[in-house]
Amino acid sequence: MIHLNNLEFGYTRVPLYQGLNLDITSPGVYGLFGRNGSGKSTLLKLLTGLLFPTQGHINVLGYTPAARLPGFLEQIYMVPEEFHLPNITLKALQNSHAPFYPRFSAADFQRYCDLFELKFDTRFQAMSLGQKKKSVMAFALASHTPLLVMDEPTNGLDIIGRDQFKRIMSSAEQQGRTVLISTHQAHDLQSLINHILFFEAGKLVLFEPLTYLQHTLQMGVTPTTETMPECIYQEAFGEQTIFVAANNSANPSTINLEWLYKALSLNQAAVLNTLKRHPPTKEQVNL
């Protein structure tokens, strides 16, 4: 589905990506994490043909994104973090944009708008930022493109809106597509993401299925504030301590993406060394 070979790109004389390689071969929800400036949003734009690599090769769904061919564009949809909408209604949006996406479902669009509590005859100018974000995501989800790319999709949504989004993403009709989500809101999307990609300064330092991390890492809270031996990462939480450590049991643990994010940001070498000592089994990769 997605193949990057020796990718190079930079906005200035200082390159962001140098020799980046990546292969995504199966559907699923892929979470892109990393600090500001690590290259997450840039990667999404490169994959959708909005930016062009200076060297290397990108293949997405059998196409070169930079060519922007109709056969490619009808199979992808990108929800950017910031967007502009013309002052039209949702019905007008469907009439003008849906023909570009052969898999678009008008029934699903109506259903998603109902779930998001959006009215088809309301113009975008009369909507709040959160309502506009819901409108864009409802259309993107109803497009049913094989590849869906979203940059900070839950930004601007209230708690109910985030729950509505997760309910749609978990629905049967959304299964089988490849979804790339760049986000800092790890907690919001905890239940959706099944593959983790972590970037730092233009380098992909971690790319693993969640099932493997569940068998390799252990996370939890202990009723003490004392320093814990053999911890990869720990943080005081009131009179308790949040910890990330190696999973030495045979049972999978629950992965907290926010704690994983912090451990990778603040003690990356220890996390990677722990994973290296426990290479994934075939079952853990394919679950």
Side-chain angles (χ1 to χ4, degrees):
M1 285 192 174
I2 296 175
H3 175 71
L4 276 62
N5 181 36
N6 202 30
L7 177 68
E8 294 191 12
F9 177 82
Y11 291 101
T12 62
R13 294 180 180 178
V14 180
L16 174 60
Y17 289 122
Q18 287 184 290
L20 177 63
N21 298 300
L22 173 65
D23 281 293
I24 294 178
T25 58
S26 59
V29 181
Y30 294 78
L32 280 62
F33 298 94
R35 296 187 180 188
N36 293 333
S38 60
K40 305 184 301 299
S41 297
T42 296
L43 178 61
L44 299 185
K45 292 176 182 178
L46 286 164
L47 293 176
T48 52
L50 297 176
L51 292 175
F52 309 144
T54 53
Q55 288 192 36
H57 181 68
I58 304 177
N59 185 288
V60 177
L61 301 171
Y63 292 87
T64 300
R68 304 283 292 173
L69 296 175
F72 170 70
L73 295 176
E74 70 181 20
Q75 297 188 72
I76 66 167
Y77 199 97
M78 180 174 181
V79 178
E81 182 177 8
E82 299 180 359
F83 52 85
H84 172 74
L85 294 171
N87 190 26
I88 59 176
T89 64
L90 284 165
K91 184 63 177 177
L93 176 70
Q94 175 181 313
N95 292 338
S96 60
H97 286 65
F100 293 104
Y101 301 96
R103 299 172 180 83
F104 183 87
S105 169
D108 285 345
F109 186 44
Q110 178 69 67
R111 186 155 52 88
Y112 299 157
C113 288
D114 290 343
L115 183 60
F116 279 136
E117 302 174 333
L118 300 169
K119 296 181 179 179
F120 252 50
D121 58 351
T122 301
R123 291 180 175 270
F124 289 123
Q125 190 174 27
M127 293 185 182
S128 67
L129 175 60
Q131 290 173 321
K132 293 177 182 178
K133 192 68 172 282
K134 291 177 181 179
S135 300
V136 171
M137 290 197 296
F139 188 93
L141 292 164
S143 70
H144 294 294
T145 53
L147 177 61
L148 174 61
V149 174
M150 294 185 282
D151 197 357
E152 299 290 356
T154 57
N155 274 7
L157 298 185
D158 57 25
I159 294 175
I160 300 301
R162 294 173 185 177
D163 286 342
Q164 293 165 336
F165 169 68
K166 288 187 285 187
R167 192 184 311 172
I168 296 174
M169 282 292 299
S170 300
S171 61
E173 67 271 10
Q174 293 300 321
Q175 308 308 305
R177 68 194 307 191
T178 301
V179 183
L180 271 61
I181 300 178
S182 171
T183 183
H184 292 288
Q185 310 299 325
H187 181 72
D188 287 345
L189 305 172
Q190 178 84 32
S191 61
L192 297 176
I193 293 172
N194 45 44
H195 295 79
I196 308 297
L197 294 86
F198 189 87
F199 290 86
E200 182 176 290
K203 295 182 179 179
L204 179 60
V205 298
L206 176 72
F207 178 24
E208 299 291 354
L210 188 62
T211 49
Y212 166 54
L213 298 177
Q214 290 171 335
H215 284 83
T216 309
L217 300 175
Q218 181 181 7
M219 303 181 183
V221 179
T222 63
T224 177
T225 57
E226 296 180 1
T227 300
M228 299 177 59
E230 300 182 3
C231 267
I232 299 171
Y233 171 80
Q234 65 182 64
E235 172 188 335
F237 184 67
E239 296 183 355
Q240 299 175 314
T241 297
I242 294 170
F243 72 90
V244 178
N247 184 359
N248 295 317
S249 72
N251 300 318
S253 66
T254 299
I255 297 297
N256 184 300
L257 295 183
E258 184 175 333
W259 301 349
L260 177 63
Y261 182 106
K262 289 182 178 180
L264 282 166
S265 297
L266 302 175
N267 199 3
Q268 185 181 118
V271 176
L272 299 181
N273 286 336
T274 299
L275 299 178
K276 187 177 180 179
R277 291 198 302 268
H278 302 276
T281 65
K282 182 178 180 181
E283 290 76 14
Q284 291 168 354
V285 170
N286 294 329
L287 278 175

